[in-house]
Amino acid sequence: MNARTLALIAAAIVSIIYGINYTVAKDVMPVYVKPFGFIFLRVAGGTLVFWVLGLFVKSEKIDRKDFKTMAIAAFFGVSLNLLTFFKGLSLTTPINASVIAVISPIMVLIFSSILLKEKLYARKILGVIIGLIGAVFLIIYGGKIVEGAQDVMLGNFLVFINAASFGLYLVLVKKLATKYNPIVFVKWLYLFGLLYVTPFSIKEALAINWETMPEVIYYKIGFVIIFTTCITYLFNLFALTKLKPTTVSVFIYLQPVVATLYAIFVGADTLNVIKIASAGLIFLGVYLVSKQAKKAAK
């Protein structure tokens, strides 16, 4: 098996883990761990793991001016990103969250045009409009209450903010990600993120009742910290060493498919016409944006 094939498998595994994570994290929240408390566990766990890994990586001096960019990127890529995602997921359903999250590539296009002055083409603009319509449609009308979903409309909106925040983060770190060793870069990113989320999450983290928690919930928390936070990042790193970023990004489309199949399989969510129609609009929008990008590249 050659390196490219292994990289493709790694990228697919990342999307599978993310897809399963929607339901796994939903099983933990908000009954056993409150959303912000879960964020503290994930960011603190990720910070610990990446700083330990940093001990085995050649130390690099970070330019003073880059610390400011890292701090801003950590706000959008770690704190606001996770705060809105976990809170939103605790209020909505796994399928809704996974579908809305796919809009990130569209948000990347919007922020790239604003911050990086990248040229917008007619097809890209049409894709942005269609994708956003699909997201708004799902946020407003995808509000059928199911077990474990408390406020679907607010939850959908928060996941949308999560996708927008992550899209802005990707644009902000575009240059830094290639300037520094990924482990060195992400350990500082998570440290800044931990400083941001602690004031909002420490109270809920300290309120966790570990003694009454079922054993299976311990495993699910461990899954989110180890697999969703750390393994996915390392696998993505490997995939990016062998594949183009555009190839790796295509695998994001697997996430709602995996999330939907897994959620339905374990009985955590159901499909309906609104979800299918909204997903269709979002996928069409992302396709138009990606298609135009490839054409322009050629």
Side-chain angles (χ1 to χ4, degrees), residues 80-99:
L80 182 62
N81 174 36
L82 292 180
L83 288 170
T84 51
F85 174 76
F86 275 75
K87 185 64 176 179
L89 182 60
S90 72
L91 298 174
T92 187
T93 69
I95 293 178
N96 281 4
S98 65
V99 170

Side-chain angles (χ1 to χ4, degrees), residues 96 98-106 127-128 130-139 160 253 256 275-289:
N96 281 4
S98 65
V99 170
I100 294 174
V102 178
I103 208 167
S104 281
I106 292 178
V128 168
I130 292 175
L132 290 178
I133 289 174
V136 172
F137 193 69
L138 184 59
I139 290 171
F160 176 81
Y253 307 138
K275 291 178 182 178
I276 295 173
S278 300
L281 288 173
I282 292 174
F283 273 91
L284 177 59
V286 173
Y287 169 77
L288 290 174
V289 169

Side-chain angles (χ1 to χ4, degrees), residues 9 18 40 48 61 107 150-151 163 170 182 188-189 216 232:
I9 293 173
Y18 278 138
F40 180 84
L48 177 62
K61 183 179 180 180
M107 304 312 297
Q150 302 174 3
D151 189 336
L170 291 177
W188 283 105
L189 192 76
V216 66
T232 53

Side-chain angles (χ1 to χ4, degrees), residues 53-87:
L53 289 176
L55 297 175
F56 302 94
V57 176
K58 184 179 179 181
S59 179
E60 285 184 286
K61 183 179 180 180
I62 307 295
D63 291 342
R64 184 174 297 182
K65 63 178 182 178
D66 290 336
F67 275 117
K68 181 179 178 181
T69 305
M70 285 185 180
I72 297 173
F75 173 77
F76 289 104
V78 178
S79 56
L80 182 62
N81 174 36
L82 292 180
L83 288 170
T84 51
F85 174 76
F86 275 75
K87 185 64 176 179

Side-chain angles (χ1 to χ4, degrees), residues 121 124 246 287-298:
Y121 297 89
K124 282 186 177 184
T246 51
Y287 169 77
L288 290 174
V289 169
S290 302
K291 184 71 174 179
Q292 184 62 34
K294 292 177 181 178
K295 184 177 180 181
K298 289 181 182 179

Side-chain angles (χ1 to χ4, degrees), residues 109-141:
L109 173 66
I110 294 174
F111 290 124
S112 293
S113 66
I114 297 173
L115 300 178
L116 303 180
K117 309 301 181 183
E118 291 188 2
K119 186 177 180 181
L120 283 178
Y121 297 89
R123 186 176 293 183
K124 282 186 177 184
I125 296 174
L126 179 62
V128 168
I129 293 173
I130 292 175
L132 290 178
I133 289 174
V136 172
F137 193 69
L138 184 59
I139 290 171
I140 297 175
Y141 299 107

Side-chain angles (χ1 to χ4, degrees), residues 34 37 62 65 68 76 88 103 106 108 142 187 197 201 225 274:
K34 299 297 182 182
I62 307 295
K65 63 178 182 178
K68 181 179 178 181
F76 289 104
I103 208 167
I106 292 178
V108 169
K187 76 175 187 179
V197 303
S201 59
I225 295 174
I274 290 177

